[in-house]
Amino acid sequence: METPLSTKIEAILFFRGDTVTVRKLAQYLEVHEEKIIEALKELALILSNRGIVLIQHNEEVMLGTSACLSPVIEKITKEELSRDLGKAGLETLAIILYKEKASKREIDYIRGVNSGFILRNLLIRGLINREEEKGGRGYIYSGTTELLAFMGVTNAEHMPEFESVKAELEQFLLTPKDSETETNAC
Amino acid sequence: METPLSTKIEAILFFRGDTVTVRKLAQYLEVHEEKIIEALKELALILSNRGIVLIQHNEEVMLGTSACLSPVIEKITKEELSRDLGKAGLETLAIILYKEKASKREIDYIRGVNSGFILRNLLIRGLINREEEKGGRGYIYSGTTELLAFMGVTNAEHMPEFESVKAELEQFLLTPKDSETETNAC
Amino acid sequence: MNEGAFTIKTEVFEGPLDLLLSLIEKRKLFISDISLARVADDYISYVKNIGQFPIGMTANFILIASTLLLIKSKSLLPNLSLTEEEQGSIEDLEQRLTIYKRVQDVSKHIAEKFGTEIIFSKIPNKRVTPVFSPDEDMTTLAMLESMKRVMESLPKKEVLSKTVVKKIMSLEEMIDKLTDRVQLSLKMNFSDFAGTHGGTKSSGARHSATREERVLIIVSFLAMLELVKQGIIEVNQNTFSDDIAMETQTLGVPHYQ
């Protein structure tokens, strides 16, 4: 059985987590816009009484959380921002500061674990900035001015033992990644 | 009417986008964990045949797009998907996934080689997690929810031959033997 | 050698168990002491050619090689008595191969599923405006401490564990003893090699071998023992030239040179 259009739309909207135009949806799913509009009506019906709702505005649609749940969501947002950074958060932040600019690949490689979630949290907490890497391969992270000010330094270079730590990090990233040198990592 | 717990959970999971532990959900919603587990069953049922699925793994839950809609989403994602695991990666993941939790010693013993390098690689890719073993002897590894997501499985138990292989692995590792033989210090 | 050795140099193996399994499977055998005895020669000739392996890997190959030698010697000389420990290491190897094969089999399920039908999670919302939310722990000193912790856990050069080093060293002695035992058994039971009667289960393949052929087999087996011994010495030497030398001296184990 062919998957209903409304189901496909639901998946796309969920994945994007942002507004998508009806035109784009029609393009992605290779059907006429009228079909999309029809399916959206269906989807809105399916999603009534659910935690996720369909928000439609002009030609744009997106999924959102039901309004009656905003107190819970607010609580979570607050908690996310005030939570302890924890060991992993501090380590990630330290690498970004001492390296001055670090890509996700470099951070992961130095820490030996994936830093995706932590980087996301540091970003929404305004502790790090990101900019797109040249060639569009990913992002480069650096500490925010607010963060440096909070720690009482005007520049990452004023961090204690800055030169030697930075040099050691660079050295490590330059070392060829053959299996012999890495076996004892875990 | 009071909003059902499953609806609230759905909203929270949608809002967070990534994994949330059962404990956190209980905390956010101020109910017992058992209630959450019950409501999760309900939610999984509600979401069957939808564009969104519920993944449950190791006390963690996450919403994602339905596996059968993978081609639709792949068309619109910009993310580069690395599908290559290699023989060592596959073997290591098989042990970790089917045993649910495995120490480095156990993995090394079964594979007959030091798995440090491949474990580090899988950690960096976010396919496995590690936690310190009790007594500080080393690390215990488990698959991440992302690993299941990448395989399109909503629960590790849905892997083919799961129960029998798990039992065989446990039986094998239970037999007292000098499991230190082939491992290198870690 | 006998039974037509396979060319295996070009293949890459994950380790000794992987190599053994593929040797057994190439001959379409099941995992048993008999099949292990039959692939022992292939295994050792492969190990002989792996000088460029990291030291830890070579050690792993040699540990398994020693168990294969036990199996092989028992199959050649059924009257050779094995200690309980030796018998245990043979059974242990068979069990390990069985479970390793199972792991390789189920890893195919993962290969089939991985990346085929993906469950995608939500893309993080780009519209969220960051709210500067520091944490009390964020001081320059705490950052330095975290940084030092990270640097301490950076991967270092591989070092063999004390257990492996000890095992490898006791192996040299084991091979010496095994050589003596095989030679002794050869003298004592020379009639066994006349080739007029076979009868024992593990000599099936060589049932019709002539006396000359049998002596040849035993002689080449002794050469195999010598090969493995050389491998062990090599591992020991390389090991001693490394950091581990200091560690082992404090263990008070004999220092071969």
Side-chain angles (χ1 to χ4, degrees):
Chain A
M1 194 195 79
E2 172 70 10
T3 316
L5 206 51
S6 62
T7 308
K8 289 182 181 169
I9 295 175
E10 185 184 28
I12 292 176
L13 293 179
F14 171 86
F15 174 69
R16 293 297 289 266
D18 205 344
T19 55
V20 183
T21 60
V22 172
R23 210 164 59 91
K24 269 276 175 214
L25 285 174
Q27 233 175 64
Y28 291 149
L29 295 167
E30 290 164 16
V31 296
H32 275 299
E33 288 186 25
E34 297 93 80
K35 289 269 180 202
I36 297 287
I37 291 165
E38 231 171 82
L40 281 171
K41 275 184 198 148
E42 235 173 86
L43 184 60
L45 210 67
I46 293 166
L47 292 177
S48 59
N49 291 318
R50 292 257 313 261
I52 300 172
V53 293
L54 183 69
I55 304 165
Q56 301 188 59
H57 184 67
N58 298 334
E59 289 292 286
E60 291 186 326
V61 281
M62 71 181 278
L63 292 180
T65 54
S66 153
C68 56
L69 289 164
S70 34
V72 189
I73 301 298
E74 227 169 274
K75 191 169 142 188
I76 295 170
T77 312
K78 259 193 204 146
E79 200 251 20
E80 251 184 353
L81 293 176
S82 61
R83 203 180 343 168
D84 264 3
L85 273 186
K87 202 173 131 197
L90 281 173
E91 284 177 9
T92 309
L93 209 46
I95 293 168
I96 294 172
L97 287 171
Y98 276 95
K99 229 200 132 260
E100 291 185 281
K101 274 179 191 302
S103 70
K104 177 167 182 299
R105 242 172 314 112
E106 289 170 330
I107 298 165
D108 288 349
Y109 182 61
I110 292 171
R111 294 189 59 227
V113 289
N114 191 285
S115 308
F117 291 144
I118 291 166
L119 287 172
R120 223 173 289 169
N121 184 254
L122 295 177
L123 272 172
I124 62 164
R125 290 178 74 150
L127 303 173
I128 55 172
N129 286 322
R130 72 172 184 192
E131 51 185 303
E132 261 178 70
E133 209 172 350
K134 273 177 213 120
R137 294 181 64 195
Y139 292 102
I140 300 267
Y141 298 86
S142 55
T144 59
T145 333
E146 289 94 330
L147 169 64
L148 292 173
F150 181 82
M151 295 193 302
V153 288
T154 49
N155 193 309
E157 287 167 31
H158 298 147
M159 300 284 293
E161 298 179 37
F162 180 80
E163 290 302 331
S164 60
V165 172
K166 186 178 163 103
E168 201 176 322
L169 278 181
E170 304 279 358
Q171 181 57 43
F172 174 70
L173 290 170
L174 277 170
T175 320
K177 307 170 183 189
D178 70 299
S179 58
E180 185 162 13
T181 48
E182 271 176 82
T183 13
N184 231 15
C186 309
Chain B
M1 194 194 82
E2 170 72 11
T3 318
L5 207 50
S6 61
T7 308
K8 290 182 183 171
I9 293 174
E10 186 183 30
I12 292 173
L13 293 179
F14 174 78
F15 174 72
R16 284 287 303 267
D18 51 51
T19 56
V20 184
T21 61
V22 172
R23 209 166 58 93
K24 271 277 174 218
L25 286 173
Q27 231 176 68
Y28 292 148
L29 295 166
E30 292 165 13
V31 295
H32 276 296
E33 289 185 25
E34 296 94 80
K35 289 267 179 206
I36 298 287
I37 291 165
E38 235 171 80
L40 282 171
K41 275 186 202 148
E42 239 172 81
L43 182 59
L45 212 65
I46 293 169
L47 291 176
S48 56
N49 290 318
R50 302 286 330 142
I52 299 169
V53 292
L54 181 71
I55 306 186
Q56 303 190 58
H57 183 59
N58 285 348
E59 310 283 297
E60 270 185 3
V61 282
M62 181 176 99
L63 290 180
T65 59
S66 162
C68 52
L69 294 171
S70 187
V72 178
I73 306 298
E74 267 174 75
K75 247 170 60 184
I76 62 174
T77 183
K78 288 180 194 115
E79 213 185 322
E80 262 181 68
L81 303 167
S82 143
R83 292 183 165 86
D84 188 39
L85 281 174
K87 204 166 157 189
L90 285 171
E91 282 174 18
T92 309
L93 281 181
I95 296 168
I96 293 174
L97 205 60
Y98 278 88
K99 218 201 139 251
E100 293 190 282
K101 272 178 197 296
S103 70
K104 178 166 183 300
R105 250 172 308 111
E106 291 170 330
I107 298 164
D108 285 351
Y109 184 61
I110 291 175
R111 297 190 57 232
V113 288
N114 186 338
S115 306
F117 181 66
I118 191 65
L119 284 170
R120 187 174 149 85
N121 183 289
L122 296 171
L123 277 168
I124 289 176
R125 286 174 73 173
L127 298 174
I128 57 172
N129 270 329
R130 68 173 183 201
E131 51 185 308
E132 264 172 66
E133 211 173 345
K134 273 178 211 120
R137 294 186 64 201
Y139 289 105
I140 299 266
Y141 298 84
S142 55
T144 58
T145 309
E146 288 73 25
L147 169 62
L148 288 191
F150 224 81
M151 296 196 302
V153 175
T154 54
N155 195 315
E157 290 164 26
H158 298 164
M159 289 298 292
E161 302 181 75
F162 184 80
E163 290 301 334
S164 58
V165 176
K166 183 179 158 74
E168 279 169 58
L169 281 171
E170 271 167 9
Q171 180 57 40
F172 171 75
L173 291 165
L174 236 146
T175 339
K177 51 176 77 94
D178 185 7
S179 60
E180 213 109 31
T181 327
E182 260 86 283
T183 46
N184 290 342
C186 259
Chain C
M1 250 192 216
N2 56 333
E3 299 185 52
F6 288 88
T7 30
I8 38 179
K9 268 177 248 166
T10 46
E11 267 178 70
V12 178
F13 294 98
E14 291 300 325
L17 297 181
D18 190 26
L19 169 61
L20 258 185
L21 263 190
S22 79
L23 290 175
I24 291 172
E25 274 161 16
K26 267 181 193 150
R27 290 190 189 270
K28 299 196 167 54
L29 301 171
F30 294 106
I31 298 163
S32 70
D33 52 350
I34 300 164
S35 60
L36 286 171
R38 287 180 66 185
V39 300
D41 299 32
D42 298 339
Y43 181 92
I44 302 227
S45 72
Y46 180 85
V47 173
K48 199 181 78 181
N49 293 316
I50 55 164
Q52 74 281 17
F53 263 104
I55 202 74
M57 192 61 124
T58 312
N60 288 336
F61 273 101
I62 283 180
L63 285 170
I64 301 288
S66 69
T67 306
L68 285 177
L69 286 179
L70 285 174
I71 296 171
K72 180 91 183 175
S73 47
K74 183 72 185 163
S75 86
L76 291 175
L77 307 161
N79 59 333
L80 187 81
S81 64
L82 297 180
T83 66
E84 208 171 294
E85 199 193 339
E86 287 168 342
Q87 193 57 48
S89 73
I90 292 174
E91 280 158 24
D92 190 47
L93 179 60
E94 283 172 44
Q95 276 178 23
R96 287 178 68 187
L97 280 172
T98 310
I99 201 81
Y100 184 61
K101 183 171 168 30
R102 195 79 167 109
V103 166
Q104 284 197 335
D105 287 346
V106 291
S107 75
K108 288 181 191 123
H109 297 315
I110 296 181
E112 271 162 29
K113 286 185 177 289
F114 194 79
T116 321
E117 286 194 331
I118 303 170
I119 296 174
F120 288 89
S121 55
K122 201 176 120 188
I123 297 176
N125 199 334
K126 294 182 192 86
R127 291 202 214 176
V128 179
T129 357
V131 183
F132 182 62
S133 322
D135 176 315
E136 293 303 306
D137 293 341
M138 286 172 15
T139 62
T140 53
L141 267 181
M143 289 299 157
L144 182 62
E145 262 169 50
S146 296
M147 204 55 238
K148 294 214 156 142
R149 210 166 47 221
V150 169
M151 290 193 293
E152 265 165 38
S153 60
L154 288 181
K156 290 166 197 75
K157 198 173 183 303
E158 182 182 351
V159 186
L160 278 186
S161 79
K162 289 174 188 171
T163 338
V164 173
V165 171
K166 259 180 159 173
K167 284 235 158 163
I168 292 283
M169 288 197 302
S170 65
L171 272 184
E172 194 180 351
E173 204 182 329
M174 183 275 233
I175 299 284
D176 278 340
K177 278 190 187 150
L178 195 58
T179 310
D180 290 346
R181 277 154 74 191
V182 171
Q183 278 168 339
L184 189 70
S185 174
L186 190 59
K187 275 180 209 151
M188 278 169 58
N189 302 283
F190 203 70
S191 59
D192 279 3
F193 300 98
T196 47
H197 66 285
T200 47
K201 59 165 186 172
S202 41
S203 62
R206 286 169 258 280
H207 210 240
S208 54
T210 65
R211 183 190 139 153
E212 285 73 25
E213 278 169 340
R214 291 198 142 232
V215 171
L216 215 63
I217 289 167
I218 301 289
V219 169
S220 72
F221 177 66
L222 288 170
M224 257 166 71
L225 284 174
E226 191 51 39
L227 268 180
V228 174
K229 196 178 147 186
Q230 278 167 20
I232 294 165
I233 293 170
E234 224 163 274
V235 170
N236 281 341
Q237 280 169 347
N238 285 328
T239 305
F240 285 127
S241 65
D242 221 310
D243 329 16
I244 202 77
M246 313 254 287
E247 243 185 286
T248 48
Q249 274 158 7
T250 60
L251 273 175
V253 278
H255 186 190
Y256 301 110
Q257 200 60 279

